[in-house]
Amino acid sequence: MIHLDGVTKRYGDTVAVDDLTLDVAEGEVCVLIGPSGCGKTTTLRMINRLITPTSGRIMINGQDASELKAEELRRSLGYAIQSVGLFPHLDVAANIAVVPRLLGWDKPRLRGRARELLELVGLEPEQYMGKYPRQLSGGEAQRIGVARALAADPPVLLMDEPFGAVDPLNRGRLQGEFARIQRDLHKTVVFVTHDIDEAIRLADRIAIMRDGRLVQYDTPETILDNPVDHFVRDFVGSDRALKRLVRVPVRDVMDTAPPVARRSAGAKEMLAEVGRTRFVYLVDEQGRLTGWLDRAQLKGGCTVEDALSDADPAQVAVRPDASLKEALSRMLGLGFRSIAVVESDGRLVGQVTLGSVEGAMTESDEHQGARPAEHMAEYSAEDTSDDSVLESIASDDQGDCT
Amino acid sequence: MLTRSPDRVALTGAVLALVSALMLPAGTLRPNRLAQGDPHSWLAAGAILAVPMLALLLAVFASFLCSRSLRGHVLSSAGVLLIGGIALSLGALSESLMVDAPSIARVSIGSGTWLMLAGAAIVAFSGWQALMGKESASQGTHVRMVYPLATAAFLFAAVAFGGLDTISLAAEYGIRTAVFWPSVIAHLRLAGVSLVLGLAMGVPLGIIAARDARIRRVALGVTGIIQTIPSLAMLGLLIAPLAALSAAYPVLRQLGIRGIGETPAMIALTLYALLPIVRNTYVGLAEVDPAVVDAGRGMGMSRGQLLWRVEMPLALPLVLEGVRAGAVLLVGITAVTALVGARNLGSFIFEGLGQAAPDLILLGALPIIVLAIVADVGLSFIADAVTPKGVRAA
Ligand SMILES: Nc1ncnc2c1ncn2[C@@H]1O[C@H](COP(=O)(O)OP(=O)(O)OP(=O)(O)O)[C@@H](O)[C@H]1O
Ligand SMILES: [Mg+2]
């Protein structure tokens, strides 16, 4: 789909891009990554002809880009620029609709599309449609920039650090969203980032660049397993085992039958369940996570209501399309041995345990011949409560806890 | 927000008004329109002025205790009331002086009156400024417009009912009613047409200047030099070549193109309008965030689309600011072109200078000042209205 053939760009004495040859197949995500100033933006802008290469050839869909009409080429390549560049005099809806308007869509369709895209990037349409760029935070503006690039549904997307200014929580969510859209739409994407985790998570292939040269161009797995040199090894970092978890979405390893009790069912049932499993998630009538009950919290003289913990799903749960690495770091951060998996509407759909993370690590290490991560064993179940406490509570449901 | 710090500008205006009321003559009674006369103080005008004067002083001091937007209204009202009071008092004074005087006698406006008006205008203007300030901009422009309208209404009332029609300036107007309004129209037309011509040439020039550094240097250099040529010299320079052209080509003469009259005037004025318009168009375009232009190009906008849909809307407030500066400039310089035979308000000034008749000079100068203020306020109004919502100051 996109083919760069010995492309070089010189600015006087500086060589911004040096003899770059790169193939991006149709429907593939190619992530360009490398230190600041290594030529990522320059490469992207040569593809849509904002920059003319000093030498070399760029083919798009089998046609020499330099022979296409620049404006038409650009309208078929959605471009999210590094500095966002929203139009200050247009509101958010009009900003998103720029390219469709150039293509002559009618008004209702433009607004419908803007609304759709705002939802996609996680911004409430009614609240944001009429805002002006100066009323947006950096991260919000960046998301509008992404929506704008997607607006006319172009077959190719060029995205220059599209989530650079978004906070980690929303970034993770947007990456999940991006991965999900990509599964359905199969765009051809060239994606620039500084974030190796982001690259590993989203890329079909990663192009690691340095001083304008392509150092390695491979699948994330190959780059993690067989870095071609010290530069790539250092760039990827020492925690390569952990990084592999970035590639694994939670939904692939989650336990879809977690211990669960209805809160409305009453103390008896909750205690019965917790007696069996030591730990139980509590849900409401609609199956939404509202809290949990841990046997370790039960002490003599306490009611169940005192012992259970209320849960804010945004804090203590992950989404099915989050990465396993995210799930692991949330567990470690919270000091949990398992973490709930909830859908966007709050419904509990499963749980991830440290054991399943360990399993996933072992699996991905196996073809490399590495040993399983032994330190994980320390986290295996340790139980501090004993059954007598449980019984004292079961018999004294209304006792008070001081 | 309470601000107890005194507004120095308003205070200065109030003191100026008070001191001139006490120390300087309100008007001069002359035996005829050219002779020297006897000054008459405000004390002769009776107590009519005392009420607004006192109200003004109280208001200025009270305003220091008010919130910013309230202070704006207090000061503006005080200034407007005082202007009205002065106009009415002057009418009363003039009427009382003229009762015993022969009919060729004239009452001219005295230095005390001018300075009081200046002081009152300063007070009103400082209030207006407070209203234009950022915090109170949300109050809407309509409220602010009350004050200029009220001032106009007061002045009209003073002329129609307050005896102001007996002062010398009104007498000069009475003699020249037939030519006064045509002169106003000629003045506006000459300045207006030249401004439109300047706009038609200046905006494209500004656009090209923003694209090409070499053209920019030439365009800004040349228009800058034009601005430094004194208007009289400019008109003089134009007479000879235009006269020669018109002599050589009778067609041109039939079209009204001659060495004197409206043609050199219009050429000179158009040239003067160029600098503010070219410069502001260029600066407005140059100040557009490069990332915005880049995004537009990256999305496949053509140069024309980029210019008209992105760059010009963003540059528009500055372009209009240039138009405003140009308009005020032209209203003034148009008066000078009366010297080369373009009949307009400037003609009264030069006639008055020739006859040593100060009130005739005023008959030309005052309307020019009013026109310049109206152009200034009107165009900044338009600039406000067309500034895109997303780039308006919060
Ligand atoms: N217009 C230009 N003139 C001269 N040098 C330039 C120009 N644009 C880019 N360069 C140089 O080319 C090199 C590559 O720039 P580029 O913008 O592609 O880097 P990048 O990889 O996108 O960096 P970052 O991660 O910081 O965005 C840099 O050394 C930069 O200084
Ligand atoms: Mg870059």
Side-chain angles (χ1 to χ4, degrees):
Chain A
M1 185 76 178
I2 301 175
H3 177 67
L4 281 75
D5 189 8
V7 173
T8 298
K9 178 69 194 180
R10 267 196 204 87
Y11 291 107
D13 283 342
T14 46
V15 186
V17 173
D18 190 1
D19 193 22
L20 179 70
T21 299
L22 192 75
D23 253 310
V24 184
E26 182 157 3
E28 241 185 34
V29 180
C30 163
V31 174
L32 296 181
I33 194 166
S36 203
C38 70
K40 306 180 292 291
T41 298
T42 307
T43 304
L44 218 55
R45 292 164 68 85
M46 284 193 290
I47 295 174
N48 69 7
R49 288 191 50 193
L50 284 172
I51 295 176
T52 313
T54 312
S55 64
R57 215 160 51 128
I58 297 174
M59 307 288 288
I60 290 166
N61 231 347
Q63 284 177 293
D64 192 326
S66 64
E67 284 163 11
L68 298 169
K69 202 162 169 276
E71 274 106 42
E72 275 162 29
L73 172 70
R74 289 178 197 144
R75 283 174 208 175
S76 70
L77 310 175
Y79 179 37
I81 78 169
Q82 188 168 10
S83 39
V84 188
L86 296 182
F87 298 149
H89 59 304
L90 300 180
D91 65 13
V92 163
N95 260 293
I96 293 176
V98 168
V99 181
R101 262 191 66 189
L102 293 178
L103 297 173
W105 293 20
D106 58 34
K107 268 236 171 74
R109 193 168 163 214
L110 291 176
R111 288 199 74 78
R113 184 67 178 148
R115 187 163 292 138
E116 198 176 303
L117 285 163
L118 278 171
E119 262 163 24
L120 191 72
V121 297
L123 299 172
E124 175 57 46
E126 292 320 313
Q127 194 187 336
Y128 282 91
M129 294 269 276
K131 285 203 180 195
Y132 284 93
R134 68 180 160 91
Q135 301 167 314
L136 302 172
S137 75
E140 287 166 348
Q142 214 169 26
R143 286 192 254 173
I144 307 290
V146 171
R148 184 170 68 171
L150 292 168
D153 204 14
V156 177
L157 292 173
L158 308 175
M159 312 184 88
D160 202 341
E161 298 191 35
F163 308 139
V166 180
D167 66 281
L169 210 67
N170 270 307
R171 185 190 303 198
R173 216 187 58 68
L174 286 170
Q175 288 165 354
E177 204 66 28
F178 180 87
R180 192 182 59 71
I181 308 169
Q182 182 58 14
R183 264 202 308 275
D184 298 341
L185 299 182
H186 294 292
K187 305 268 182 202
T188 307
V189 184
V190 183
F191 190 112
V192 172
T193 183
H194 268 131
D195 177 351
I196 185 73
D197 283 2
E198 187 166 82
I200 292 170
R201 179 161 182 198
L202 299 180
D204 292 305
R205 287 160 176 264
I206 299 178
I208 300 187
M209 293 179 69
R210 179 191 193 182
D211 297 337
R213 299 184 146 274
L214 186 62
V215 184
Q216 186 168 10
Y217 185 42
D218 262 315
T219 62
E221 285 80 6
T222 316
I223 285 191
L224 287 168
D225 297 342
N226 298 308
V228 291
D229 61 10
H230 273 293
F231 172 74
V232 176
R233 187 188 302 273
D234 292 347
F235 199 82
V236 171
S238 52
D239 53 346
R240 282 181 288 146
L242 213 50
K243 288 227 160 68
R244 263 179 222 108
L245 295 179
V246 172
R247 293 287 293 171
V248 186
V250 161
R251 82 167 81 244
D252 286 5
V253 297
M254 71 183 178
D255 163 15
T256 52
V260 61
R262 284 199 188 194
R263 201 155 179 172
S264 56
K268 280 243 160 55
E269 191 184 311
M270 286 194 262
L271 283 169
E273 191 66 29
V274 87
R276 220 173 24 232
T277 61
R278 297 201 179 94
F279 181 88
V280 62
Y281 292 107
L282 304 176
V283 297
D284 64 10
E285 291 300 320
Q286 281 76 42
R288 289 184 300 229
L289 181 71
T290 63
W292 70 87
L293 183 60
D294 189 337
R295 198 156 126 188
Q297 302 293 316
L298 290 167
K299 296 189 286 283
C302 288
T303 65
V304 171
E305 286 299 324
D306 290 321
L308 62 78
S309 307
D310 285 313
D312 171 7
Q315 298 300 319
V316 300
V318 292
R319 299 281 185 81
D321 53 13
S323 75
L324 211 50
K325 184 182 176 206
E326 193 184 335
L328 176 63
S329 63
R330 296 283 283 285
M331 275 188 265
L332 295 176
L334 293 161
F336 293 174
R337 270 169 279 133
S338 65
I339 191 161
V341 183
V342 298
E343 284 290 0
S344 54
D345 58 6
R347 269 184 314 113
L348 179 72
V349 294
Q351 71 164 344
V352 176
T353 61
L354 281 177
S356 54
V357 174
E358 193 186 345
M361 280 180 125
T362 317
E363 200 172 287
S364 65
D365 274 350
E366 261 164 12
H367 64 266
Q368 206 203 164
R371 280 172 294 128
E374 273 159 26
H375 61 278
M376 298 302 294
E378 290 166 24
Y379 281 91
S380 60
E382 53 178 287
D383 194 341
T384 52
S385 68
D386 59 276
D387 288 359
S388 60
V389 176
L390 198 64
E391 267 143 33
S392 80
I393 290 168
S395 58
D396 183 18
D397 230 358
Q398 304 305 313
D400 85 8
C401 189
T402 43
Chain B
M1 181 188 70
L2 281 178
T3 37
R4 290 203 166 70
S5 66
D7 185 326
R8 290 220 180 83
V9 177
L11 199 60
T12 310
V15 170
L16 176 65
L18 188 66
V19 170
S20 18
L22 295 175
M23 317 270 286
L24 292 169
T28 315
L29 179 65
R30 313 179 204 234
N32 61 58
R33 67 187 278 259
L34 304 177
Q36 298 287 337
D38 311 319
H40 286 262
S41 78
W42 275 114
L43 301 174
I48 302 178
L49 195 59
V51 178
M53 195 73 211
L54 215 63
L56 164 85
L57 285 174
L58 284 177
V60 169
F61 285 109
S63 74
F64 302 151
L65 301 171
C66 299
S67 72
R68 197 183 157 88
S69 61
L70 197 59
R71 169 193 284 196
H73 286 296
V74 169
L75 290 178
S76 300
S77 334
V80 168
L81 272 176
L82 190 64
I83 292 172
I86 294 167
L88 289 166
S89 308
L90 186 65
L93 174 70
S94 169
E95 228 168 12
S96 69
L97 289 176
M98 288 298 280
V99 169
D100 309 322
S103 64
I104 59 157
R106 294 290 184 90
V107 177
S108 289
I109 303 170
S111 57
T113 305
W114 288 123
L115 288 176
M116 281 182 77
L117 282 171
I122 289 171
V123 172
F125 189 70
S126 70
W128 173 270
Q129 284 289 304
L131 287 178
M132 293 291 244
K134 268 191 183 152
E135 291 126 87
S136 30
S138 55
Q139 289 188 325
T141 38
H142 325 295
V143 185
R144 298 198 292 259
M145 286 318 280
V146 168
Y147 297 108
L149 292 178
T151 311
F154 266 125
L155 294 178
F156 177 78
V159 173
F161 317 112
L164 204 59
D165 55 336
T166 61
I167 61 165
S168 176
L169 183 61
E172 296 288 352
Y173 170 70
I175 298 166
R176 290 176 178 79
T177 325
V179 286
F180 180 80
W181 290 107
S183 298
V184 171
I185 290 169
H187 201 99
L188 277 177
R189 197 186 52 213
L190 183 55
V193 169
S194 309
L195 186 67
V196 169
L197 287 176
L199 205 58
M201 290 161 58
V203 170
L205 207 54
I207 292 173
I208 300 170
R211 299 252 187 271
D212 185 321
R214 225 164 17 147
I215 294 179
R216 165 163 73 247
R217 275 194 297 276
V218 175
L220 292 181
V222 170
T223 51
I225 288 171
I226 291 174
Q227 214 72 358
T228 63
I229 303 177
S231 40
L232 272 177
M234 167 87 86
L235 291 167
L237 284 176
L238 286 170
I239 290 174
L242 283 173
L245 270 178
S246 128
Y249 303 98
V251 193
L252 293 178
R253 195 163 33 216
Q254 274 159 17
L255 289 172
I257 294 177
R258 287 174 298 140
I260 57 166
E262 299 249 313
T263 313
M266 202 172 287
I267 293 175
L269 291 173
T270 304
L271 289 175
Y272 281 119
L274 280 180
L275 178 68
I277 294 172
V278 172
R279 187 186 48 205
N280 280 37
T281 305
Y282 155 67
V283 172
L285 290 173
E287 277 186 359
V288 173
D289 182 355
V292 167
V293 176
D294 207 46
R297 282 215 308 145
M299 284 187 291
M301 287 185 159
S302 66
R303 278 200 139 188
Q305 286 167 333
L306 204 54
L307 182 66
W308 295 113
R309 294 190 190 190
V310 179
E311 293 176 289
M312 279 313 270
L314 290 173
L316 195 59
L318 261 181
V319 175
L320 287 173
E321 174 61 32
V323 174
R324 190 183 64 81
V328 173
L329 189 74
L330 291 201
V331 168
I333 300 183
T334 298
V336 179
T337 66
L339 278 182
V340 294
R343 168 108 222 152
N344 56 48
L345 287 170
S347 312
F348 296 132
I349 297 179
F350 293 117
E351 279 167 32
L353 284 171
Q355 300 172 5
D359 294 314
L360 183 54
I361 299 175
L362 279 182
L363 186 67
L366 282 182
I368 290 173
I369 294 172
V370 172
L371 286 182
I373 292 173
V374 168
D376 188 58
V377 173
L379 282 167
S380 50
F381 230 58
I382 294 175
D384 264 5
V386 303
T387 301
K389 226 173 128 198
V391 294
R392 224 171 274 174

